Amino acid sequence: IYEIFKDYKFKKLKAGRDAGKFVNSLLDYVLNLKNNLINSQELAGYLKNNKKYLSEYKSQGLRKEEEDKILYISEFYEIYESYERIKKKNNYIDYADQIFLPYFLFKEQMAIKEKYIQKYKYIFVDEFQDTNNAQAYLLSMLFKKEKNKLIIVGDDDQGIYGFRGACIENIQDLNYFPGDINNL
């Protein structure tokens, strides 16, 4: 992020007096996207659709806030792309990539996913109340009712990682869970 920050010419986003805090907020944004399994291609698609919307409706008095939102997200997209490019160039991964990359690997390579489904007959997840969406989706990809046993432990009164993207609904309503875990 600092490498991007020193070279990037911000148009809408402003660092203010605390550049460190600004850089951390950019990184938090990138990690939040990954924790919700939003890759740069999906963000690019969102922007393309909304820029088309902007151009079509600009003559009809589009509100400034809507235009500003798209411009902010466009800048975040450029940062996200630069961040991923720098990581790839240096063979780095970040914390969120530990879930993000296997999720997309399993989504695109069914044979690899099936290998891991076969390998792990028993899946145990402690502190399930602190899972984020990406973690829950990855877990659901590895769970097949007829092949695996899934044990979830957690307490929805002890969810403390909402600031890191934890989704308390994962444990409060198992029907919300993005896999088929009925009749466990």
Side-chain angles (χ1 to χ4, degrees):
I1 291 288
Y2 281 103
E3 192 174 323
I4 297 165
F5 182 69
K6 70 179 181 176
D7 295 329
Y8 191 80
K9 303 293 183 241
F10 294 95
K11 299 166 199 101
K12 275 300 203 186
L13 301 170
K14 301 293 179 212
R17 294 182 192 168
D18 191 345
K21 189 174 182 179
F22 177 67
V23 168
N24 285 337
S25 70
L26 294 176
L27 182 58
D28 286 346
Y29 180 78
V30 168
L31 296 178
N32 187 42
L33 289 171
K34 288 181 174 191
N35 285 338
N36 286 289
L37 300 170
I38 300 170
N39 59 27
S40 59
Q41 294 84 11
E42 288 179 271
L43 194 56
Y46 171 84
L47 286 169
K48 183 179 178 183
N49 290 337
N50 280 283
K51 284 181 180 177
K52 182 180 175 193
Y53 167 82
L54 284 177
S55 64
E56 289 175 4
Y57 293 99
K58 201 159 187 133
S59 62
Q60 297 178 15
L62 185 70
R63 292 190 329 217
K64 177 102 172 89
E65 307 95 52
E66 292 173 358
E67 188 173 357
D68 284 347
K69 177 183 171 187
I70 300 305
L71 294 173
Y72 280 114
I73 293 173
S74 294
E75 223 164 9
F76 277 122
Y77 168 75
E78 292 174 34
I79 292 164
Y80 191 4
E81 279 285 295
S82 297
Y83 175 75
E84 292 301 312
R85 192 172 38 258
I86 290 168
K87 281 187 2 213
K88 188 173 187 169
K89 180 179 92 179
N90 292 292
N91 290 317
Y92 293 155
I93 66 169
D94 59 31
Y95 181 75
D97 283 337
Q98 295 176 66
I99 302 296
F100 188 79
L101 294 174
Y103 172 83
F104 283 101
L105 176 69
F106 290 169
K107 188 175 178 185
E108 295 163 9
Q109 301 289 327
M110 298 301 285
I112 294 172
K113 179 178 113 173
E114 195 60 39
K115 175 184 171 187
Y116 282 93
I117 289 171
Q118 296 297 326
K119 182 175 182 174
Y120 297 107
K121 301 291 182 200
Y122 301 95
I123 302 172
F124 178 86
V125 182
D126 195 11
E127 304 297 340
F128 193 71
Q129 74 275 1
D130 290 325
T131 57
N132 62 37
N133 288 331
Q135 292 165 330
Y137 274 98
L138 182 62
L139 179 61
S140 74
M141 292 177 97
L142 290 171
F143 175 72
K144 281 195 173 176
K145 190 168 41 177
E146 65 279 358
K147 295 183 180 182
N148 311 95
K149 299 293 182 208
L150 178 62
I151 301 166
I152 295 172
V153 178
D155 181 350
D156 60 349
D157 287 333
Q158 292 186 20
I160 59 171
Y161 288 106
F163 67 94
R164 284 199 354 223
C167 186
I168 197 72
E169 289 86 357
N170 286 343
I171 196 167
Q172 287 178 332
D173 181 4
L174 292 180
N175 291 322
Y176 169 81
F177 185 78
D180 180 14
I181 60 171
N182 295 318
N183 305 317
L184 291 179

